[in-house]
């Protein structure tokens, strides 16, 4: 069984234009619009992380890192700039959120998955719907290891565009004032005054409000038991 997740990220932002893994899957996924996307899913059981990468039809590169030890989910987006608006060749944004471990299969389980038919086009069996997230804090990249040690290397090009929200910090703190103060000290609030939409701002160094949508078209939600040629049941293959 596989799921599709859509995450709509909304933040107040300024538009400024390696892990060694133990297992990797390359999956062909067809979205609702009929576009075919190739997703790379890597599992590192030593660091207890899962990394997913793919390229959107508009050229945007998306990377998702699930850090099970820190209970942090990181999205990195490399968006191509618009030359006619005087933007840089590309811009990088990172979004950091808290997740519940039960939402994803473990890195160990992911490392056991193998494709019986690698060329198969995958379609999700379940649509998880859309989650709207409003990000209200900017993370100081130099202190990002307080959230996860994987943020700094992944988001080096997003020095001023790595975001989280206070509700996630409260969830990560789990009632500990010390942990909350430690995490909140690594952030600063984004402007609370009303700001215009980024599409209405001509200068790239001016604050603006942007909406960014990330859709994970296919993600395994569990192990499927399949019989091999020798009729021995195996838990590491899916068709």
């Amino acid at each position: 069984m596989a799921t599709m997740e859509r995450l709509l990220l909304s933040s107040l932002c300024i538009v400024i234009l390696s892990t060694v893994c133990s297992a990797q899957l390359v999956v062909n996924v067809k979205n609702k619009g009929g576009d075919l996307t190739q997703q790379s899913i890597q599992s590192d059981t030593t660091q207890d992380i899962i990394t997913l990468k793919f390229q959107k039809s508009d050229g945007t590169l998306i990377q998702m890192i699930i850090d099970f030890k820190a209970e942090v989910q990181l999205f990195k987006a490399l968006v191509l700039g618009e030359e006619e608006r005087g933007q840089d060749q590309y811009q990088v944004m990172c979004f950091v959120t808290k997740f519940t471990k039960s939402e994803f299969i473990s890195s160990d389980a992911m490392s056991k998955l193998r494709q019986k038919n690698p060329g198969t086009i995958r379609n999700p069996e379940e649509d998880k719907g859309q989650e709207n997230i409003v990000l209200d804090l900017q993370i100081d990249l130099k202190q990002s290891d307080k959230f996860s040690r994987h943020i700094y290397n992944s988001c080096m090009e997003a020095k001023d565009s790595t975001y989280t929200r206070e509700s996630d910090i409260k969830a990560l703190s789990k009632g500990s004032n010390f942990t909350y103060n430690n995490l909140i000290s690594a952030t600063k609030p984004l402007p609370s005054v009303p700001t215009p939409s980024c599409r209405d701002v001509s200068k790239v160094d001016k604050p603006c409000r942007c909406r960014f949508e990330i859709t994970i078209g296919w993600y395994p939600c569990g192990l499927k038991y399949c019989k091999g040629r020798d009729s021995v049941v195996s838990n590491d293959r899916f068709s």
Side-chain angles (χ1 to χ4, degrees):
M1 182 181 292
T3 61
M4 177 178 70
E5 295 189 8
R6 289 176 295 170
L7 179 66
L8 185 62
L9 299 166
S10 176
S11 64
L12 296 174
C13 57
I14 297 177
V15 180
I16 301 177
L17 294 184
S18 58
T19 303
V20 178
C21 298
S22 58
Q24 175 176 333
L25 291 174
V26 178
V27 183
N28 300 308
V29 182
K30 181 177 287 187
N31 62 25
K32 285 187 175 182
D35 296 325
L36 189 63
T37 302
Q38 192 172 77
Q39 293 182 179
S40 168
I41 307 176
Q42 298 175 323
S43 176
D44 185 331
T45 56
T46 302
Q47 299 192 76
D48 202 10
I49 64 171
I50 293 175
T51 303
L52 182 148
K53 298 179 181 180
F54 66 94
Q55 185 172 23
K56 297 174 65 175
S57 57
D58 63 0
T60 299
L61 297 175
I62 301 295
Q63 179 185 52
M64 177 181 74
I65 296 178
I66 303 169
D67 183 346
F68 288 92
K69 290 182 180 179
E71 296 186 28
V72 162
Q73 185 176 17
L74 165 66
F75 287 95
K76 174 186 175 182
L78 188 153
V79 183
L80 299 179
E82 300 178 31
E83 294 182 4
E84 62 274 13
R85 297 189 64 183
Q87 296 176 352
D88 291 339
Q89 186 177 3
Y90 64 89
Q91 57 177 316
V92 178
M93 298 177 289
C94 288
F95 313 104
V96 179
T97 62
K98 163 80 166 60
F99 78 94
T100 303
K101 289 185 178 181
S102 60
E103 295 176 4
F104 299 97
I105 66 173
S106 67
S107 60
D108 181 66
M110 181 69 80
S111 70
K112 291 179 169 62
L113 291 179
R114 303 291 184 271
Q115 291 193 82
K116 183 179 179 181
N117 301 303
T120 300
I121 297 176
R122 309 287 170 184
N123 292 285
E125 298 175 15
E126 180 183 2
D127 188 339
K128 301 293 287 185
Q130 180 171 285
E131 180 181 5
N132 294 308
I133 297 177
V134 178
L135 303 167
D136 53 6
L137 297 172
Q138 179 181 323
I139 295 177
D140 178 358
L141 210 56
K142 293 181 180 179
Q143 301 185 66
S144 60
D145 59 340
K146 292 182 179 180
F147 290 87
S148 167
R149 65 190 185 90
H150 302 287
I151 296 175
Y152 185 82
N153 287 337
S154 299
C155 303
M156 291 180 66
E157 295 182 284
K159 180 182 177 182
D160 298 315
S161 52
T162 298
Y163 308 107
T164 189
R165 55 183 177 171
E166 187 178 8
S167 59
D168 284 309
I169 291 180
K170 290 180 178 178
L172 288 167
S173 302
K174 299 177 181 178
S176 168
N177 289 332
F178 175 81
T179 303
Y180 175 84
N181 291 332
N182 186 46
L183 291 174
I184 203 72
S185 68
T187 69
K188 65 178 181 180
L190 293 168
S192 58
V193 296
T195 53
S197 171
C198 291
R199 71 182 63 181
D200 299 325
V201 176
S202 58
K203 296 183 178 180
V204 298
D205 60 343
K206 296 296 183 181
C208 63
R209 184 181 70 256
C210 63
R211 293 169 62 88
F212 192 78
E213 183 172 346
I214 298 175
T215 301
I216 306 300
W218 186 93
Y219 193 89
C221 58
L223 296 178
K224 180 178 179 181
Y225 290 81
C226 303
K227 288 186 177 182
R229 293 180 181 177
D230 55 359
S231 296
V232 177
V233 176
S234 171
N235 69 346
D236 63 354
R237 295 191 179 190
F238 61 94
S239 57

